[in-house]
């Protein structure tokens, strides 16, 4: 097996994985349409392909309700700001509400459910003030909250968050134009499914404590860490594939959609 010993951890992983592991312990990718153990066995020591990794990543976006947005403080910090001058130009990562709601946008505005996360932006929040001041952004999603559900990759060793996937999406922040009542209702319905509490500060909500607006991250690059490098892909994703993936089928890869894969610890259906 080809192993990239990127770090001590990965090298350790490589060492352990050369021993025989119980069937299915490692297989995090599965096709629900095939239920035989042989598929697990066949996958046990091979990495998912890059397309399969893109399916996993796209599924992670679909199932995620928040992610860490990184921005950079303006340099210099405006004198009127209460932000310390010494953080000028430094990055800050803050968790924000997102949802996979592009398909809820009206025709002509939607990009056709192509994996551009929808963001509920609060004007007062540091993330969106930095963006307003010209910062670039990236958005990190991960599956680390599911550690307890996932099967350890290496039996005998403790559960390892590092074995679980994460992805950072790069691109540009695209504030959405104001929506008709009807279109806004469709977007809100999608977004509130994962964020019922956000009803209080939806754009235009009466009595909202803070003004907000809708935006999306238009993805231009994606950096994926599937887990340990001997059993998962690590690197830059093919963004054409990312954008071509849909829930039930895709115009790229082998045609499967993100509904055809499961992330570590998800119930098999
Ligand atoms: C944002 O990124 C672009 C490249 O994508 C770069 O040209 C630009 O200088 C960056 N802006 C800031 C404020 O760093
Ligand atoms: C990315 O994926 C597209 C669609 O499958 C393919 O046509 C293209 O060759 C891929 N690009 C690279 C650099 O592999």
């Amino acid at each position: 097996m080809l192993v990239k010993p990127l770090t001590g951890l990965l090298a350790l992983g490589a060492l352990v994985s050369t021993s025989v592991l119980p069937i299915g312990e490692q297989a995090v990718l599965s096709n629900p349409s095939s239920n035989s153990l042989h598929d697990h066995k066949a996958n046990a020591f091979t990495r998912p392909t890059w397309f399969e990794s893109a399916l996993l990543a796209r599924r992670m976006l679909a199932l995620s309700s928040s992610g860490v947005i990184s921005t950079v403080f303006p340099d210099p910090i405006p004198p009127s700001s209460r932000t310390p001058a010494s953080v000028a130009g430094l990055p800050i990562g803050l968790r924000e509400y997102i949802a996979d709601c592009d398909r809820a946008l009206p025709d002509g505005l939607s990009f056709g459910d192509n994996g551009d996360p929808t963001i509920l932006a609060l004007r007062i929040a540091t993330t969106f003030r930095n963006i307003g001041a010209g910062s670039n952004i990236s958005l990190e999603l991960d599956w680390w909250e599911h550690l307890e559900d996932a099967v350890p990759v290496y039996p005998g060793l403790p559960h390892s968050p590092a074995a679980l996937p994460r992805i950072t999406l790069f691109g540009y922040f695209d504030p959405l134009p104001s929506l008709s009542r009807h279109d806004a209702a469709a977007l809100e319905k999608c977004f509130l499914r994962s964020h019922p509490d956000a009803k209080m500060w939806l754009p235009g909500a009466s009595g909202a404590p803070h003004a907000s607006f809708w935006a999306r991250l238009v993805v231009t690059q994606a950096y994926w860490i599937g887990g340990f490098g001997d059993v998962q892909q690590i690197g830059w994703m093919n963004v054409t594939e990312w954008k071509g993936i849909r829930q039930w089928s895709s115009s790229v890869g082998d045609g499967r959609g993100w509904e055809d894969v499961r992330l570590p610890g998800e119930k098999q259906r």
Side-chain angles (χ1 to χ4, degrees), residues 152-232:
V153 173
Y154 307 124
L157 295 183
H159 267 303
S160 196
L164 298 180
R166 53 265 196 204
I167 189 168
T168 300
L169 302 173
F170 297 81
Y172 58 92
F173 186 78
D174 183 26
L176 299 178
S178 63
L179 301 170
S180 73
R181 232 183 151 84
H182 173 266
D183 293 342
L187 180 56
E188 289 167 8
K189 187 173 169 211
C190 173
F191 201 86
L192 294 179
R193 232 175 273 145
S194 35
H195 300 290
D197 56 317
K199 197 173 178 39
M200 311 295 290
W201 59 92
L202 288 176
S206 64
H210 298 298
S212 65
F213 60 100
W214 294 112
R216 66 182 149 200
L217 174 61
V218 179
V219 175
T220 55
Q221 291 291 346
Y223 187 74
W224 167 254
I225 300 179
F228 291 129
D230 58 330
V231 287
Q232 292 290 337

Side-chain angles (χ1 to χ4, degrees), residues 18-168:
T18 53
S19 63
V20 175
L21 304 181
I23 291 165
E25 289 287 73
Q26 294 208 346
V28 297
L29 185 84
S30 74
N31 181 343
S33 62
S34 62
N35 55 7
S36 95
L37 274 178
H38 294 295
D39 292 310
H40 285 286
K41 199 172 192 176
N43 282 338
F45 296 103
T46 54
R47 281 182 242 179
T49 64
W50 265 109
F51 178 68
E52 286 165 339
S53 302
L55 290 175
L56 289 167
R58 185 62 184 76
R59 182 172 180 85
M60 196 157 75
L61 170 63
L63 301 185
S64 293
S65 55
S66 67
V68 175
I69 297 184
S70 294
T71 60
V72 175
F73 282 106
D75 188 5
I77 302 284
S80 59
S81 168
R82 279 182 292 171
T83 306
S86 61
V87 301
L90 298 189
I92 178 169
L94 293 167
R95 190 170 281 270
E96 306 289 354
Y97 282 11
I98 60 126
D100 184 21
C101 284
D102 186 79
R103 65 180 155 177
L105 294 175
D107 291 350
L109 185 56
S110 167
F111 289 147
D113 192 20
N114 69 346
D116 292 333
T118 305
I119 301 168
L120 180 55
L122 290 180
R123 293 192 188 279
I124 198 173
T126 297
T127 295
F128 304 104
R129 289 160 75 117
N130 283 350
I131 292 169
S135 172
N136 282 316
I137 74 169
S138 65
L139 166 68
E140 190 260 5
L141 308 172
D142 63 60
W143 199 247
W144 285 25
E145 284 173 21
H146 301 264
L147 182 63
E148 294 308 318
D149 304 323
V151 176
V153 173
Y154 307 124
L157 295 183
H159 267 303
S160 196
L164 298 180
R166 53 265 196 204
I167 189 168
T168 300

